[in-house]
Every structure is written in structure tokens, then in C-alpha cells.
Amino acid sequence: MRKFEYKPPRLHSGQLRTPTTFYEYAPNPGPEPGEQEKKPLYECMAKIDEVWLKDVERAKSNGTLSDITIVIRDPLQDFIPTDKHYIAIDHPQYIGKRYNVKHVQPDPQNSRFINVIAELVK
């Protein structure tokens, strides 16, 4: 018989340390091009990961080496991120940068979290 060994989860809520806000943007009123911040949709704490080494080749082919992976607690039906949302990260390294949600997927190792892949908007 195999001995039971407890394996702690890969990610726990103590690692969600970075304040993150999901925004919706709207076109500027009038003839000027561009977008303006419409309203914050959801605020949460997140874990921010840069592009992993295994994803670098895929990122190079897409031309987006500034992708980030954000892990947040699953908000269930309160908020569902889509590719129309933008992300602001309250961390000195990310101040003034705006990220667009590219892909959302549940965390396969832990159903309490979801992975949001975002790319830097120029």
C-alpha cells in the first residue's frame, strides 16, 4: 500500500499580493481618436507572472514578448473577464502600463483560481 503524502497546493491566497483592477474603456467623445477609461469593473489581489520560458517561442511568433499571466481568485459569477477588458496593475514596475486581456482559462491545478493572459497595449 502506498503511503499518503500531503502535497500543498501550488498556489495559495497568500501569494496574491498585487492589487489589480479590471477596466472597461470607451472611445473618446468627439473627433479625436483614442480611448478613455470608462469605469473600473473589478478590483482584486493577484499574482503576476512574466512570460514563462516555455512560452517565449510562442510569444516571439505572436510578436508579443511583453505578455503577462495574472492569477486571480475565481470571482464566480460576480465578474467574468473577457478580451474587451483592460488591466491596471498597482505595482511600481507596471505603473502607467495598460494590459489587454488576451485569454482567460481556469487553473487546471486548482479550481479556486483562474489564469488571465494579457498583453501590453502600446
Side-chain angles (χ1 to χ4, degrees):
M1 181 178 238
R2 189 170 171 199
K3 182 181 173 186
F4 174 75
E5 287 185 35
Y6 173 73
K7 293 182 181 177
R10 181 179 66 89
L11 177 71
H12 53 82
S13 59
Q15 293 173 322
L16 305 177
R17 296 185 183 133
T18 309
T20 305
T21 306
F22 288 83
Y23 289 100
E24 186 176 53
Y25 279 78
N28 281 336
E32 295 295 321
E35 295 178 320
Q36 67 181 359
E37 201 174 283
K38 187 174 178 185
K39 64 178 178 174
L41 298 172
Y42 185 68
E43 295 180 3
C44 62
M45 300 300 278
K47 178 180 182 227
I48 311 296
D49 288 332
E50 294 292 330
V51 175
W52 289 18
L53 190 56
K54 66 180 182 179
D55 298 329
V56 169
E57 288 302 319
R58 188 173 3 143
K60 281 182 186 176
S61 66
N62 293 339
T64 56
L65 282 175
S66 57
D67 287 357
I68 58 171
T69 301
I70 302 172
V71 181
I72 63 171
R73 188 177 295 281
D74 190 359
L76 302 176
Q77 296 302 314
D78 290 342
F79 173 71
I80 300 170
T82 66
D83 60 350
K84 295 182 172 120
H85 298 147
Y86 293 88
I87 301 169
I89 301 169
D90 187 18
H91 186 274
Q93 193 175 9
Y94 299 102
I95 295 293
K97 294 181 181 177
R98 183 171 67 166
Y99 290 89
N100 188 9
V101 175
K102 205 160 102 173
H103 183 67
V104 179
Q105 65 187 15
D107 190 344
Q109 280 80 29
N110 194 344
S111 62
R112 297 181 301 168
F113 299 98
I114 60 174
N115 295 330
V116 178
I117 299 163
E119 67 180 334
L120 183 65
V121 177
K122 295 177 180 161

